[in-house]
């Protein structure tokens, strides 16, 4: 009723087209799913179906890792006016030490292996933000991060972003979202991250909500944020 539309991006790394499609973006090839999402966004803009100010991305869990990259990559961050990052993986240096993270090393790689950390480093949103964009790496990270990546961009500005997570998430630790939001609010500041919201439910596990009441509140919060951010309130 408000004039918006929803686009499903079947990017590489997903399971939509079988095992080969999924395997096309594992480990060192993970960047392909971010490039695919950028390509979808660019196609929507070039076809005049939307504009960056009216385009948002949303993803949770592994999709939260996707959104984290979209708001920090130099091209992608200019394509979206808003983003919703749900129960996300964001610190790829420490993910394997938190909750169920170790079970995903076959998907992402092992950050304790230098040869695998080399590619993980390039799509760890927390490090792209703190080290590459802001020049403020977390204590102890400087020695393992090396040179800045292509994400370094003095004109970078974060899209309007809502992060949601759960205190009782037993799969992706809420610390991922907490750290990212703290850096955006306290280190990036209003100039580079003018609109950042954070909601942490104290219940609900990895789904972010414990029952239908909480679930409806979470999605009402999400869609209200998107309506405001994209100018769909009227």
């Amino acid at each position: 009723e408000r004039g918006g539309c929803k686009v499903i991006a079947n990017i590489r790394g997903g399971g939509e087209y079988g095992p080969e499609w999924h395997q096309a973006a594992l480990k060192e090839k993970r960047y392909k799913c971010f490039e695919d999402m950028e390509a979808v966004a660019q196609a929507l803009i070039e076809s005049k179906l939307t504009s960056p100010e009216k385009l948002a991305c949303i993803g949770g869990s592994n999709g939260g890792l996707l959104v984290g990259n979209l708001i920090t990559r130099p091209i992608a961050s200019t394509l979206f006016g808003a983003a919703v990052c749900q129960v996300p993986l964001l610190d790829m240096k420490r993910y394997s030490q938190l909750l169920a993270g170790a079970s995903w090393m076959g998907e992402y790689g092992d950050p304790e292996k230098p040869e695998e950390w080399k590619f993980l480093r390039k799509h760890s949103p927390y490090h792209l933000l703190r080290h590459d964009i802001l020049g403020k790496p977390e204590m102890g990270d400087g020695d393992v991060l090396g040179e800045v990546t292509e994400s370094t961009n003095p004109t970078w500005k974060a899209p309007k972003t809502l992060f949601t997570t759960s205190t009782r998430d037993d799969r992706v630790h809420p610390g991922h979202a907490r750290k990212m939001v703290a850096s955006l609010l306290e280190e990036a500041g209003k100039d580079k991250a003018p609109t950042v919201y954070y909601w942490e439910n104290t219940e609900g596990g990895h789904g972010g909500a414990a029952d239908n009441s909480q679930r409806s509140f979470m999605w009402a919060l999400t869609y209200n944020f998107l309506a405001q951010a994209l100018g769909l309130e009227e």
Side-chain angles (χ1 to χ4, degrees):
E1 293 87 357
R2 295 184 178 184
C5 63
K6 183 176 183 178
V7 176
I8 305 297
N10 293 323
I11 59 177
R12 285 173 290 182
E16 294 84 359
Y17 302 114
E20 290 185 6
W21 189 253
H22 171 65
Q23 294 163 8
L26 295 183
K27 290 191 173 182
E28 73 277 7
K29 297 179 285 188
R30 175 62 58 177
Y31 69 92
K32 293 182 179 180
C33 68
F34 313 134
E35 291 183 347
D36 285 359
M37 192 70 171
E38 288 176 350
V40 171
Q42 288 172 323
L44 291 170
I45 294 166
E46 290 170 5
S47 64
K48 301 190 183 303
L49 288 172
T50 188
S51 63
E53 296 78 15
K54 296 289 186 179
L55 182 60
C57 55
I58 182 169
S61 193
N62 179 36
L65 174 61
L66 169 64
V67 172
N69 273 273
L70 295 177
I71 66 174
T72 51
R73 286 168 64 90
I75 294 176
S77 59
T78 66
L79 299 175
F80 297 95
V84 179
C85 193
Q86 303 166 312
V87 291
L89 279 160
L90 297 168
D91 182 345
M92 300 309 286
K93 180 62 180 174
R94 298 172 180 82
Y95 86 94
S96 59
Q97 303 171 33
L98 300 171
L99 301 177
S103 65
W104 307 324
M105 288 193 290
E107 177 94 6
Y108 301 119
D110 183 351
E112 297 303 313
K113 295 180 179 178
E115 68 275 15
E116 297 192 3
W117 168 240
K118 188 175 181 180
F119 59 75
L120 274 165
R121 157 79 173 87
K122 294 180 180 179
H123 59 257
S124 178
Y126 181 68
H127 297 98
L128 296 179
L129 173 66
R130 289 202 65 177
H131 183 270
D132 295 1
I133 295 173
L134 302 178
K136 298 180 179 181
E138 187 169 298
M139 186 178 297
D141 276 350
D143 293 339
V144 299
L145 294 178
E147 296 295 322
V148 295
T149 70
E150 63 275 8
S151 289
T152 302
N153 178 2
T155 64
W156 174 85
K157 189 175 181 179
K160 300 171 185 176
T161 308
L162 168 66
F163 291 84
T164 67
T165 187
S166 168
T167 308
R168 296 187 180 182
D169 192 333
D170 58 356
R171 297 182 66 190
V172 177
H173 198 286
H176 286 274
R178 292 170 182 168
K179 290 169 61 174
M180 191 76 168
V181 170
S183 183
L184 286 166
L185 292 176
E186 298 172 10
E187 296 172 333
K190 288 291 185 181
D191 289 340
K192 290 186 175 294
T195 304
V196 178
Y197 293 112
Y198 178 73
W199 180 72
E200 180 173 327
N201 189 11
T202 56
E203 299 179 299
H206 193 50
D211 53 37
N212 286 337
S213 176
Q214 292 182 8
R215 192 169 295 107
S216 62
F217 179 86
M218 178 181 70
W219 282 109
L221 185 75
T222 298
Y223 283 112
N224 188 54
F225 161 75
L226 289 173
Q228 292 183 34
L230 302 179
L232 299 177
E233 289 187 283
E234 302 302 327

